[in-house]
Amino acid sequence: MQAFRNLAARAPKATAKSVSSRCASTLKEVLAAQIPEKQASLLKLKKEHGDVGLGMVTIDQVIGGSRGIKTMMWETSNLDPEEGIRFRGLTIPDCQKKLPGYQKGGEPTPEALIWLLLTSEVPTKEQADMLTADLHARSKLPAHIEPLIRSFPKDMHPMTQFAAAVAAMQTDSKFAVAYHTVNKKELWQHAYEDILNVFARLPEIAALIYRCRYADGQVKKDLSLDYSGNFCRMLGFTDPTFDELMRLYMVIHSDHEGGNASAHATHLVGSTLSDPYLSYAAGLCALAGPLHGLANQEVLGWILQLQAEFKKAGKPVNKDTIEEFTLATLNSGKVIPGYGHAVLRKTDPRYEAQRQFALKHLPDDPLFHIVSTVYEVVPGVLTKLGKVKNPWPNVDAHSGVLLCHYGFTQHDYYTVLFGVSRAMGALSQLFWDRALGLPLERPKSVTPEFLWSQATKAK
Ligand code: AMX
């Protein structure tokens, strides 16, 4: 035990440093300076302690979607079942306190979070602004992307359009070209370029999909604003409070450690040395599933259905009627969207952060009132089922109601917003995967016969 404590004391801490300790100042220079030390640390860990076991794997885990099996290294964030997410050691309230906002005291900007996720250092306002300018400068889409999006059938789901457009940008990949021409030790530089370009271009792609599907197809940029502010203008929203909501939304949706399906898919595909465009397109396909990112669309659909049915039947919205509606959903063989989680065992702090925003900015909104009453009822109902491991709300239980309040009502689009945000975590980690030269991911599968033979031996 003492030996473990000594080792742990020597290991790099997953806590953000408050000021850049290095003299290098651009994001790429800070990262370049960090790489040799981190490579050496990983090599030492592998060489001297590679044979240390991390626990047994049970048959239940093999059949049950690998829950809890520690099988991936992920440094940008960590998820504790009780406490929730920490980005480089910082909780959501820590980020709100420490990361620079667009305005002093405002919500942290996604640019500040990208800096934190990549470097584990809290950026100064100047560094965050420098990154904003860099992202704006990289934001021009390859010429074929706009016509491609305009050619999609109107009824193609926005997430299908989004994943297809991101994959189609692969024509621009510097990493894919470099793979054939440069020493693999230098590949991280090209991964960096692609990753920053993906961050820069996702908002316009997302806005084009939105404007073509629900509005006049025109996208108007405002590069005098930050990443989120410009994104809101491109979508067609001009309320500064909505800009703040978008900053909060993007930060809390950015990363949720590595095991979730979108992050894991990005990491898996990237491990084949597929470039960041194709890797993140895979992540988006995973995010589009209703048990994962699409749950945000499902939640609002469920709440609107509840509201419409109650109105038609002349029923009041209260705990009893919501309990009836919840039971009817469960009895029809469906899940309650926005509730439950594979890792969390408490109310998601991302839900709590959005609830605080609602209490401050829209306390009297009728949909917020429904969401709050659902929160009072659903955990009790799910607990009574006896099988649900986490009856508490997750991030998706709240986001739609906030968006709706500001007139963003097209809920079949909501997962695209999640997809713009999730890139920040999944691709920051992908940068480190390439910088550290992590190998092809290739776990072992086993047959049912093997499992039966092990089960029989264990008796
Ligand atoms: N409503 C009804 N049943 C639920 C439930 C919910 N919200 N959450 C879990 N259950 C059920 C499961 O379907 C499973 O039933 P089964 O044994 O009959 O198949 C049982 O409870 C045990 O599941 P679990 O171990 O508690 O959860 P899990 O790790 O297998 O699944 C999740 C996690 C999120 C898929 C699940 O809670 C769920 O389906 N929630 C609703 C969809 C949702 O909100 N997804 C978004 C998650 C966050 C995100 O990724 N964005």
Side-chain angles (χ1 to χ4, degrees):
M1 193 63 194
Q2 185 55 40
F4 171 77
R5 282 205 197 99
N6 291 342
L7 269 179
R10 262 181 271 146
K13 293 272 181 302
T15 310
K17 299 176 189 77
S18 55
V19 186
S20 170
S21 53
R22 303 168 200 268
C23 47
S25 59
T26 70
L27 179 58
K28 196 169 177 185
E29 283 164 350
V30 172
L31 292 169
Q34 290 181 347
I35 288 172
E37 194 185 314
K38 291 181 75 153
Q39 282 174 335
S41 164
L42 193 65
L43 199 66
K44 186 175 159 66
L45 184 63
K46 191 169 147 58
K47 212 168 147 192
E48 295 177 15
H49 312 288
D51 57 354
V52 173
L54 293 179
M56 201 177 76
V57 176
T58 64
I59 289 179
D60 230 5
Q61 288 173 305
V62 173
I63 301 172
S66 303
R67 291 295 183 286
I69 303 176
K70 297 180 184 73
T71 183
M72 196 189 329
M73 190 177 76
W74 196 268
E75 60 178 277
T76 50
S77 68
N78 190 46
L79 182 59
D80 180 85
E82 304 291 320
E83 185 197 49
I85 193 67
R86 278 181 185 261
F87 305 113
R88 292 284 188 182
L90 300 187
T91 62
I92 292 170
D94 290 340
C95 287
Q96 288 173 311
K97 210 156 59 188
K98 294 187 175 174
L99 291 180
Y102 180 63
Q103 278 161 347
K104 214 171 169 15
E107 296 293 344
T109 62
E111 297 90 313
L113 188 82
I114 290 171
W115 192 291
L116 174 75
L117 291 174
L118 277 168
T119 67
S120 80
E121 294 179 358
V122 171
T124 60
K125 172 78 171 132
E126 290 67 30
Q127 285 171 319
D129 287 348
M130 197 161 60
L131 183 55
T132 304
D134 188 12
L135 292 175
H136 284 341
R138 293 169 180 268
S139 65
K140 192 170 165 37
L141 300 181
H144 61 284
I145 297 299
E146 184 174 334
L148 177 74
I149 293 171
R150 291 193 189 283
S151 75
F152 287 143
K154 272 232 171 229
D155 58 354
M156 182 189 270
H157 193 279
M159 278 303 281
T160 313
Q161 297 189 33
F162 197 31
V166 172
M169 273 206 298
Q170 191 264 350
T171 50
D172 232 25
S173 172
K174 309 229 181 318
F175 182 92
V177 174
Y179 176 76
H180 298 285
T181 53
V182 308
N183 185 310
K184 69 178 185 182
K185 292 198 174 107
E186 298 304 317
L187 274 178
W188 71 265
Q189 310 231 24
H190 306 276
Y192 176 87
E193 293 304 319
D194 279 6
I195 286 165
L196 270 272
N197 287 343
V198 174
F199 291 152
R201 295 168 187 179
L202 289 182
E204 187 173 352
I205 292 181
L208 255 171
I209 293 168
Y210 181 79
R211 299 292 304 175
C212 288
R213 189 173 165 98
Y214 311 105
D216 59 2
Q218 300 307 308
V219 166
K220 292 195 185 82
K221 292 187 184 188
D222 185 347
L223 298 183
S224 69
L225 293 170
D226 62 324
Y227 187 78
S228 309
N230 179 45
F231 183 32
C232 292
R233 292 309 162 276
M234 290 194 286
L235 288 164
F237 292 84
T238 53
D239 181 342
T241 316
F242 185 74
D243 296 351
E244 279 290 271
L245 173 61
M246 190 60 82
R247 291 179 190 111
L248 174 68
Y249 183 103
M250 290 217 216
V251 166
I252 64 176
H253 284 80
S254 62
D255 205 22
H256 218 224
E257 72 166 43
N260 67 80
S262 52
H264 189 188
T266 307
H267 171 82
L268 169 68
V269 173
S271 83
T272 69
L273 297 191
S274 202
D275 60 72
Y277 293 94
L278 294 181
S279 304
Y280 195 56
L284 287 172
C285 290
L287 194 68
L291 295 188
H292 188 21
L294 204 80
N296 59 6
Q297 144 179 343
E298 301 294 303
V299 167
L300 201 76
W302 189 74
I303 286 172
L304 292 178
Q305 189 194 344
L306 175 156
Q307 203 183 32
E309 281 188 21
F310 285 18
K311 195 171 169 195
K312 200 164 157 207
K315 269 193 205 173
V317 177
N318 58 37
K319 287 193 198 175
D320 292 339
T321 53
I322 288 182
E323 181 162 346
E324 261 173 48
F325 189 79
T326 304
L327 288 170
T329 303
L330 291 171
N331 290 336
S332 70
K334 298 198 175 69
V335 295
I336 307 302
Y339 280 76
H341 200 273
V343 179
L344 284 168
R345 294 294 176 259
K346 284 266 167 69
T347 294
D348 191 334
R350 300 172 299 173
Y351 176 93
E352 193 51 42
Q354 295 179 94
R355 182 169 164 78
Q356 291 308 318
F357 189 96
L359 286 169
K360 184 167 169 195
H361 296 286
L362 42 128
D364 302 323
D365 184 288
L367 286 183
F368 174 51
H369 172 66
I370 296 180
V371 164
S372 298
T373 316
V374 168
Y375 186 26
E376 291 177 55
V377 172
V378 166
V381 176
L382 291 180
T383 301
K384 273 192 213 145
L385 290 182
K387 63 176 182 176
V388 180
K389 295 195 189 66
N390 176 40
W392 302 105
N394 59 57
V395 68
D396 300 310
H398 215 305
S399 52
V401 165
L402 296 176
L403 295 167
C404 250
H405 179 81
Y406 293 95
F408 201 140
T409 54
Q410 299 85 357
H411 53 278
D412 58 348
Y413 179 87
Y414 287 172
T415 313
V416 174
L417 297 178
F418 198 157
V420 175
S421 317
R422 181 50 55 92
M424 295 191 276
L427 292 177
S428 294
Q429 181 59 46
L430 194 71
F431 169 80
W432 280 107
D433 293 350
R434 297 293 72 79
L436 297 174
L438 297 189
L440 177 74
E441 190 171 291
R442 205 329 186 161
K444 176 84 184 87
S445 66
V446 291
T447 62
E449 290 76 16
F450 172 82
L451 293 178
W452 275 113
S453 73
Q454 296 304 300
T456 316
K457 259 197 231 164
K459 281 226 159 154

